[in-house]
Amino acid sequence: SESGSGWLLSGFIVINAALGAGLLNFPQACHLAGGVGSTLTVQFVLLSFIVGSLVLLAFVSDRSHAATYQEAVASLLGRAGRLASAACIAVYCFGTCITFVIIIGDQWEQISSQFLSPTTRSQPYASKRLVMSVSSLVLILPLAAGVLGVLYMCVMVVVKYFIGGSSSTSVRTRSGKLKMQQIAGFGKLEMQQELKLSQHSKNLSPRPHSLVDVFNVVPTICFGYQCHVSVVPVYSCMRRRCLPQFARTVSFAMLICFLAYSATAVFGYWSFGAAVQSDILRNYDATPDVLIGMCLLAFKICTTYPILLFCG
């Protein structure tokens, strides 16, 4: 029997490499870019280039029989190109891994603030640095899977848009107050006036103020879809190593990423408007479902490391 992974399993490996911590920043990027329309448009345009570049990498790998990104570059640029690409990949993987460790520490800070007293949190055994170190040694090294954690967080953001998620900033909470006023008999006209004030307080951007605003979302999108270093090893391990199969894999993976990022960006931005933070989880009250999302995100980041460490 043929060894290797099928197109669907390969697709989930690509999703695991691409989908992750970038999800947290998409709602704020949506605000900075001037609204939902401009964000989705820029994301769709960039996504077409991303998919094309991934398939192109597979094409070069196929022609040169390369098993890694460096080998694919070496087939085009020679030994000097291979050394340069290897150095760049090492720096990229190191920087990405450091970023992920910091995000794990940030999630721990938010979780510990709900369960530990200020005195306990100031102790060395409850410090952010210790948690980051233990996570690196105990969790990051052994694990190798975990897309469901990020998908859970995406679903949570969408659901909380409809049921309300924060007593201070959630748009849905204010909508609930409007319903209470209507029941109390304040009248339809007053409710409509307050609804307009509520919509104004969200400060949703209907369109970008300038072309510069549109490009504010580009770094977030590029970070969210980074998986180019990983796709060549994924392609080399496929059972049927051919471009049509890999195009199928990439299309499936990018579709899942696009839906997850877009849903989180749109509903997270609609929930909090201009008050949305760079980490969308900070906008929500620390309810059990939010704490579960924080834990799953940290777990998901741990499972991304084996791919980056292998490529690095």
Side-chain angles (χ1 to χ4, degrees):
S1 59
E2 294 182 336
S3 61
S5 58
W7 72 269
L8 186 60
L9 177 59
S10 299
F12 278 107
I13 296 175
V14 174
I15 293 172
N16 192 44
L19 190 63
L23 195 79
L24 298 173
N25 193 240
F26 262 78
Q28 187 186 61
C30 190
H31 170 63
L32 296 176
V36 172
S38 58
T39 301
L40 295 181
T41 301
V42 173
Q43 185 179 189
F44 184 78
V45 172
L46 291 179
L47 190 58
S48 62
F49 287 100
I50 292 170
V51 172
S53 62
L54 294 177
V55 175
L56 183 61
L57 280 172
F59 174 76
V60 175
S61 174
D62 211 21
R63 295 291 296 271
S64 59
H65 303 286
T68 64
Y69 187 92
Q70 298 93 309
E71 292 178 4
V73 173
S75 67
L76 298 175
L77 303 178
R79 184 172 181 273
R82 175 171 184 161
L83 293 177
S85 66
C88 292
I89 290 172
V91 174
Y92 155 73
C93 291
F94 178 78
T96 304
C97 291
I98 292 298
T99 302
F100 285 162
V101 169
I102 294 173
I103 294 175
I104 292 175
D106 290 341
Q107 305 312 307
W108 164 252
E109 280 189 331
Q110 297 180 65
I111 295 172
S112 63
S113 66
Q114 303 300 318
F115 297 103
L116 304 179
S117 65
T119 303
T120 304
R121 293 202 305 271
S122 64
Q123 299 300 319
Y125 59 81
S127 66
K128 176 180 176 179
R129 290 185 177 180
L130 180 63
V131 171
M132 292 162 58
S133 301
V134 172
S135 299
S136 300
L137 295 175
V138 177
L139 297 177
I140 290 173
L141 290 181
L143 298 176
V147 175
L148 293 179
V150 177
L151 296 181
Y152 167 87
M153 198 168 59
C154 173
V155 172
M156 184 195 71
V157 172
V158 175
V159 171
K160 281 188 172 292
Y161 169 74
F162 293 101
I163 67 175
S166 172
S167 58
S168 58
T169 57
S170 176
V171 174
R172 286 292 164 181
T173 303
R174 290 192 291 268
S175 299
K177 292 180 180 178
L178 294 178
K179 292 179 181 178
M180 291 295 292
Q181 290 182 357
Q182 187 181 28
I183 295 174
F186 277 83
K188 184 177 180 180
L189 179 60
E190 184 174 343
M191 191 188 77
Q192 288 177 343
Q193 290 176 345
E194 187 159 349
L195 180 59
K196 291 180 180 179
L197 292 175
S198 177
Q199 293 291 333
H200 178 71
S201 65
K202 289 188 294 183
N203 195 22
L204 297 178
S205 301
R207 65 184 62 86
H209 297 294
S210 66
L211 187 61
V212 177
D213 291 343
V214 176
F215 289 99
N216 285 328
V217 76
V218 173
T220 301
I221 294 176
C222 291
F223 180 78
Y225 286 96
Q226 283 187 29
C227 59
H228 293 67
V229 174
S230 309
V231 295
V232 177
V234 171
Y235 178 62
S236 66
C237 294
M238 290 185 66
R239 184 180 301 115
R240 293 179 57 193
R241 181 169 166 164
C242 61
L243 291 181
Q245 281 290 96
F246 188 72
R248 193 178 181 185
T249 294
V250 169
S251 299
F252 168 74
M254 294 299 105
L255 176 62
I256 298 298
C257 292
F258 176 80
L259 294 176
Y261 285 137
S262 298
T264 304
V266 171
F267 289 100
Y269 179 51
W270 282 351
S271 296
F272 303 103
V276 67
Q277 300 187 42
S278 58
D279 182 346
I280 183 63
L281 294 179
R282 293 182 180 272
N283 282 99
Y284 295 107
D285 294 332
T287 53
D289 55 340
V290 175
L291 295 176
I292 291 174
M294 293 176 181
C295 294
L296 290 178
L297 175 65
F299 175 78
K300 162 63 183 68
I301 292 174
C302 292
T303 66
T304 306
Y305 271 83
I307 299 175
L308 294 173
L309 291 174
F310 174 75
C311 295

